[in-house]
Amino acid sequence: MLVLTASAQKREKYEFERNLPVYADSLIADLTFPLAWGNSDICDFGLWKQAARQKVFDCMLTPPPPPAVERAGENSKQKYPYTILFEEQRDGYKARKIEIRLSRYYSVPAYVLIPDGKGPFPAINALHDHGAHLFIGKEKMIRPLACEDSTVIKDAEEWLAGYEGQFFGDYLARHGYVVFSADAPMWGERGQKEGARRDRYDMIAGNMMMYGIDLSAYMTYDDIACTEFLASLPEVDAQRIGCTGWSMGAYRAWMLSALSDHIKVGAAICWMVTTDEQMSFKYSRTENGGFANCFPGLRRLLDYPHIASIACPKPMLFINGSQDKLFPVAGAKKAFATMHEVWKSQGAADKLETELWDMPHSCPLKAQSRVLEFFQKNL
């Protein structure tokens, strides 16, 4: 019997190439984004924001149900009950590991850093990256606590290369911010029993859709709920909450800024682009996006910068890298221009700052410093 290897099983006629349909350019040409500000027939900006936000939620499918009952050992005074699992003192702030009951389905592990002294303090939801590395999540943003396994601590220290050797969350805490970071679904302690494998992410996301829910949307729903939880803490000034992240964390940051009124300021490092550049054959890469930022049908109505513009007139900072191979410079520039038109139309041009740096896909010390400066200015 003749057995052909996968690499040999090619047909002369095909319909997909480099993970895209061969008619990708035609699909892009048909994207008119009818719900975008300026395209929509809604002329009142406040009403447009409501309609655009609701459409995003519609495309996020069914949200996770809220917690149903109080659980033993949890702080029952909270909408989202939580348990403190471990606490340690660091230089100028306390570090806690907690577990929050975010849904009737699941609890979520998270870290919280609380500055020494009398609060309430401004707070930051620090949103971790993707990196095709799912073994750790919150530990990418905040130095793991002593209660963690040595393999987790070692992995987190090695992952710091993308952050130029600094835990971003601890850096913000040392400057007087309560910092919160939780595992997203599929990362860290919310991963797979069989072990963290990137090649299983899309399969699991597809299976989740069979239940009528969207895995990426669950990440965003959780980010919204975690921010609501953060606002409820007595150490936090609920009127001064921001969010930030790099890569997928940046995507999460502008999504959260657009969809949560608790967020007053957002900063996104290395995740902003337009669909016509990101999903085309113009570039040689084969990684274009995927289930980590996919809501069914949404792109037929709104592009990435249109969704981010729901955050207007909040202060927002976007930094992209000119050497970033994941997000084409042309796409970043188009997205920045689109957002500037929106902020300008609302008399808030000075609230939006977009910058293109000579750097690859990374979150170096200077970017973290720039984000801190932006928060100090606006929070």
Side-chain angles (χ1 to χ4, degrees), residues 245-287:
W246 164 54
S247 194
M248 184 184 76
Y251 163 83
R252 296 168 66 189
W254 57 256
M255 282 294 298
L256 180 57
S257 298
L259 300 179
S260 172
D261 291 331
H262 282 294
I263 295 294
K264 307 303 180 184
V265 183
I269 303 170
C270 289
W271 209 121
M272 180 46 67
V273 73
T274 53
T275 299
D276 63 338
E277 297 292 333
Q278 188 69 4
M279 300 302 295
S280 76
F281 282 109
K282 296 178 184 178
Y283 309 96
S284 61
R285 67 178 185 279
T286 56
E287 175 66 34

Side-chain angles (χ1 to χ4, degrees), residues 16-124:
F16 296 88
E17 179 184 3
R18 286 168 43 196
N19 298 334
L20 296 174
V22 295
Y23 45 87
D25 290 344
S26 296
L27 289 173
I28 289 170
D30 287 343
L31 295 178
T32 59
F33 308 117
L35 191 52
W37 177 247
N39 294 345
S40 169
D41 57 5
I42 303 175
C43 298
D44 179 276
F45 191 71
L47 294 178
W48 172 79
K49 286 181 63 169
Q50 292 179 27
R53 180 183 280 185
Q54 185 56 54
K55 182 54 66 177
V56 174
F57 280 124
D58 290 345
C59 292
M60 287 168 62
L61 305 182
T62 307
V69 295
E70 298 176 8
R71 295 169 64 87
E74 293 177 326
N75 187 331
S76 61
K77 295 180 181 179
Q78 297 280 343
K79 176 180 178 181
Y80 301 104
Y82 72 101
T83 302
I84 298 175
L85 303 177
F86 191 83
E87 182 174 292
E88 65 187 30
Q89 182 67 39
R90 295 184 176 175
D91 186 14
Y93 56 98
K94 290 191 297 290
R96 287 177 180 165
K97 182 175 184 179
I98 64 175
E99 187 166 273
I100 314 165
R101 169 66 46 175
L102 278 192
S103 166
R104 179 161 49 87
Y105 296 154
Y106 53 81
S107 295
V108 174
Y111 288 161
V112 184
L113 306 180
I114 303 171
D116 295 341
K118 183 175 173 57
F121 304 98
I124 305 297

Side-chain angles (χ1 to χ4, degrees), residues 321-332:
S322 63
Q323 309 304 317
D324 191 334
K325 295 181 179 180
L326 296 182
F327 300 100
V329 170

Side-chain angles (χ1 to χ4, degrees), residues 192-203:
Q192 300 161 256
K193 179 180 180 180
E194 299 81 1
R197 287 182 56 180
R198 166 64 182 91
D199 62 350
R200 298 296 185 188
Y201 184 93
D202 293 347
M203 183 182 295

Side-chain angles (χ1 to χ4, degrees), residues 341-355:
E341 288 179 6
V342 177
W343 264 259
K344 183 178 179 181
S345 75
Q346 300 309 303
D350 61 326
K351 300 295 185 182
L352 175 64
E353 299 183 33
T354 60
E355 300 171 2

